[in-house]
Amino acid sequence: MGMFRDDFLWGGATAANQFEGAWDVDGKGLSIPDVLTGGTVDTPRRITPQLEEGTFYPNHEGIDFYHHYEEDIALFGEMGFKTFRMSIAWTRIFPTGLETEPNEAGLAFYDKVFDCCLEHGIKPLVTISHFEMPYGLVEAYNGWEGRETIDCFMRYATCVLDRYHDKVEYWLTFNEINTGTRKMGASSSLGTIRGFSGARTDLPEQPQVRFQGLHHQFVASAMIVKYAHEHYPELKMGNMEIFSPFYPLTCKPEDILLSQRETRIFDWFCTDVQCRGYYPTYMNRYFAENGIVLKMEPGDEEILREGTVDFYTFSYYMSNCVTADPDENGAKVSGNIVGGVKNPYLKASDWGWQIDPKGLHWALNEIWDRYQLPMMVVENGLGAYDKVEEDGSIHDSYRIDYLRQHIEEMAEAVKDGVDLMGYTPWGCIDLVSASTGEMAKRYGFIYVDKHDDGTGTLARSRKDSFYWFKKVIATNGEDLA
């Protein structure tokens, strides 16, 4: 018997707003990513409610999957993908989010994409809302702060389930929903940025607004899960969050308690609601200490109980250290929404994200012990600079090493009894970085000739990791050499 189950879902992960392009084609409306400028690791991306002439908006073209989907899915098929995690762009279906009737051209595009996947033996794994809120809902309701957004989301979500339920079995409600616990989540997930213009790092700190928005997302997530269970019981409905271990920097009790508190708020809170169906009691103190008073409507608690997810999915890129001692804060490190104190035992990527494969093993065990739900790692990968050699080859041994080490630790978790369904590394084809807007921060097995100034032919080519991952899939994870 191998390390992974026979029906293990190997594949790759993307997001519509980061790779589709065609931002204003076939009736698509304006989303938050469409008003985000480019940036770098040192220069934050800006939100510009009015598009600026002469300013580069990298998500507008992405890598133009909209016109290259057949070629790209064929490459995924060549690698042997069992599943392809992608998202539907809300603004292709309801351009402002306020419409009552869907945009047929947008629906027809995803019909073609799903049919193409199925022709190659690839099961689509679809995120309903992946960091691409219609800007019309930002202006109308301040995004998820307005309870009205629940109805707008349900119009969209029921529309896509009704349309594609016979083509898509696996669905995720909201991407990295726990970003809403942090300031940056206002722009990425919640859309609570009405009237804001400027660098994303300058977003105001508004916990009351964010956590109210999160409550509305919880209700919407539970409602669409309940709808799917009642109308299409064959569908599997999952959550999706960032998981980041928070290690205590030392064994001082204060550091241990801080580690527990950070883990509860960031890693457990949202999924406790989505997997267990109710707010955990530890949030009462957090809300009181941060002046947060949630407004709930009658019936909300019942909806949360009735709309728990069938399986648990998460992104894993790094771990962080925390300390309660300001004199020991040391060097700070960056990361995916969260950062922390440098761990002296770990190396980091070119973007300062600490590399911790064993942390994935730890995370899988902790999540399994808490929820006893089947799991998928639906994002994991190394953002790195890739060099194209004169003969066109790309020798990305560093990416292979990163992925190999994480797959090895997934296998260890499976030996521990974790029910692991699948693995879809992030950015299986190069795409626009959500955090910095760069193309230079590449994750893919497939290289795309597109650069940070917007130039490039968009030609696709296979990296060394392409052939390596093809072998990994063919051997169901047995051959990682």
Side-chain angles (χ1 to χ4, degrees):
M1 183 176 174
M3 292 184 291
F4 300 104
R5 51 201 257 184
D6 292 340
D7 60 350
F8 194 78
L9 294 171
W10 297 97
T14 59
N17 75 86
Q18 291 171 255
F19 88 137
E20 274 186 8
W23 71 286
D24 59 352
V25 170
D26 291 338
K28 182 185 175 297
L30 195 71
S31 68
I32 292 176
D34 294 328
V35 299
L36 273 176
T37 68
T40 68
V41 68
D42 300 313
T43 308
R45 304 184 75 178
R46 291 185 301 115
I47 296 167
T48 65
Q50 302 299 321
L51 296 180
E52 300 170 352
E53 193 171 344
T55 295
F56 181 50
Y57 295 88
N59 298 69
H60 284 191
E61 185 179 38
I63 61 165
D64 197 26
F65 174 80
Y66 195 80
H67 297 107
H68 291 257
Y69 71 89
E70 291 176 296
E71 174 188 2
D72 293 341
I73 293 169
L75 286 166
F76 301 155
E78 183 184 334
M79 263 189 287
F81 277 19
K82 310 298 183 187
T83 190
F84 172 43
R85 180 182 172 225
M86 53 171 284
S87 67
I88 295 173
W90 189 340
T91 50
R92 287 205 192 282
I93 314 304
F94 291 92
T96 68
L98 296 163
E99 294 83 3
T100 55
E101 296 297 324
N103 171 31
E104 177 58 31
L107 290 168
F109 169 69
Y110 292 108
D111 272 322
K112 292 185 290 186
V113 170
F114 297 144
D115 288 344
C116 190
C117 285
L118 296 171
E119 286 166 13
H120 288 276
I122 299 170
K123 294 182 178 182
L125 166 64
V126 174
T127 315
I128 298 173
S129 180
H130 190 137
F131 290 179
E132 50 211 345
M133 165 162 279
Y135 203 77
L137 295 180
V138 174
E139 294 178 316
Y141 306 126
N142 197 28
W144 282 100
E145 184 186 15
R147 193 174 176 95
E148 300 91 339
T149 298
I150 296 175
D151 290 338
C152 298
F153 173 81
M154 286 301 292
R155 265 199 309 275
Y156 158 59
T158 55
C159 171
V160 296
L161 255 66
D162 291 346
R163 178 83 169 213
Y164 307 124
H165 66 90
D166 59 343
K167 299 180 181 184
V168 180
E169 179 182 359
Y170 298 100
W171 297 83
L172 310 178
T173 56
F174 292 97
N175 180 68
E176 294 185 334
I177 191 169
N178 55 327
T179 58
T181 66
R182 301 289 173 125
K183 184 172 78 169
M184 191 67 78
S187 68
S188 60
S189 178
L190 295 166
T192 52
I193 56 170
R194 182 165 56 190
F196 178 83
S197 178
R200 284 199 304 178
T201 48
D202 295 335
L203 285 164
E205 180 59 270
Q206 298 176 308
Q208 170 66 40
V209 171
R210 290 203 321 277
F211 280 88
Q212 186 64 57
L214 260 176
H215 175 70
H216 293 152
Q217 281 191 331
F218 292 150
V219 171
S221 176
M223 286 175 68
I224 194 59
V225 169
K226 187 171 184 286
Y227 179 87
H229 287 165
E230 290 172 350
H231 291 81
Y232 311 109
E234 71 279 8
L235 302 185
K236 302 290 188 291
M237 306 297 292
N239 70 317
M240 198 288 188
E241 77 152 41
I242 302 174
F243 198 97
S244 174
F246 291 92
Y247 301 145
L249 184 65
T250 73
C251 52
K252 283 189 295 189
E254 291 84 358
D255 284 2
I256 304 292
L257 278 169
L258 179 61
S259 163
Q260 182 183 60
R261 189 157 62 247
E262 289 288 322
T263 301
R264 278 176 154 183
I265 304 306
F266 190 74
D267 289 326
W268 296 135
F269 161 50
C270 292
T271 48
D272 278 354
V273 177
Q274 291 185 296
C275 298
R276 291 173 165 174
Y278 54 88
Y279 274 76
T281 53
Y282 57 78
M283 290 305 293
N284 295 337
R285 177 175 179 176
Y286 183 84
F287 290 153
E289 291 179 349
N290 289 276
I292 298 166
V293 180
L294 293 186
K295 182 181 180 183
M296 296 194 191
E297 296 292 331
D300 281 3
E301 292 181 336
E302 182 182 2
I303 291 168
L304 297 180
R305 283 196 303 273
E306 293 178 346
T308 55
V309 295
D310 304 311
F311 65 108
Y312 178 112
T313 83
F314 67 109
S315 63
Y316 179 86
Y317 293 98
M318 78 212 78
S319 60
N320 291 282
C321 284
V322 292
T323 177
D325 187 346
D327 294 331
E328 286 194 13
N329 262 316
K332 294 288 178 71
V333 291
S334 60
N336 184 20
I337 301 292
V338 294
V341 183
K342 184 175 176 59
N343 186 328
Y345 299 100
L346 299 179
K347 296 178 180 178
S349 75
D350 293 331
W351 277 262
W353 296 21
Q354 296 187 112
I355 298 170
D356 182 15
K358 291 188 183 304
L360 177 56
H361 180 184
W362 182 89
L364 286 164
N365 281 341
E366 290 293 301
I367 297 162
W368 174 249
D369 287 349
R370 194 176 187 96
Y371 301 122
Q372 299 282 298
L373 287 173
M375 276 188 279
M376 284 187 73
V377 181
V378 294
E379 286 186 31
N380 171 241
L382 178 69
Y385 295 107
D386 288 335
K387 180 185 177 186
V388 182
E389 304 294 342
E390 287 188 11
D391 65 356
S393 60
I394 298 153
H395 304 307
D396 56 340
S397 58
Y398 39 86
R399 183 168 292 112
I400 293 170
D401 290 342
Y402 176 100
L403 295 170
R404 177 195 295 117
Q405 291 165 19
H406 284 79
I407 294 170
E408 288 171 346
E409 296 301 331
M410 292 192 316
E412 290 298 318
V414 170
K415 291 176 188 175
D416 291 337
V418 170
D419 183 5
L420 190 62
M421 299 165 55
Y423 177 59
T424 57
W426 174 249
C428 49
I429 183 169
D430 290 345
L431 38 63
V432 175
S433 166
S435 57
T436 64
E438 293 170 289
M439 278 301 300
K441 186 183 183 184
R442 297 178 182 271
Y443 286 87
F445 304 115
I446 300 162
Y447 183 89
V448 179
D449 184 38
K450 178 76 185 291
H451 308 288
D452 290 341
D453 60 359
T455 62
T457 65
L458 295 174
R460 275 64 165 156
S461 58
R462 300 162 184 81
K463 305 178 189 179
D464 286 356
S465 59
F466 178 100
Y467 302 102
W468 173 81
F469 198 56
K470 179 179 180 178
K471 180 182 64 173
V472 171
I473 297 173
T475 62
N476 199 27
E478 291 291 330
D479 187 352
L480 301 178

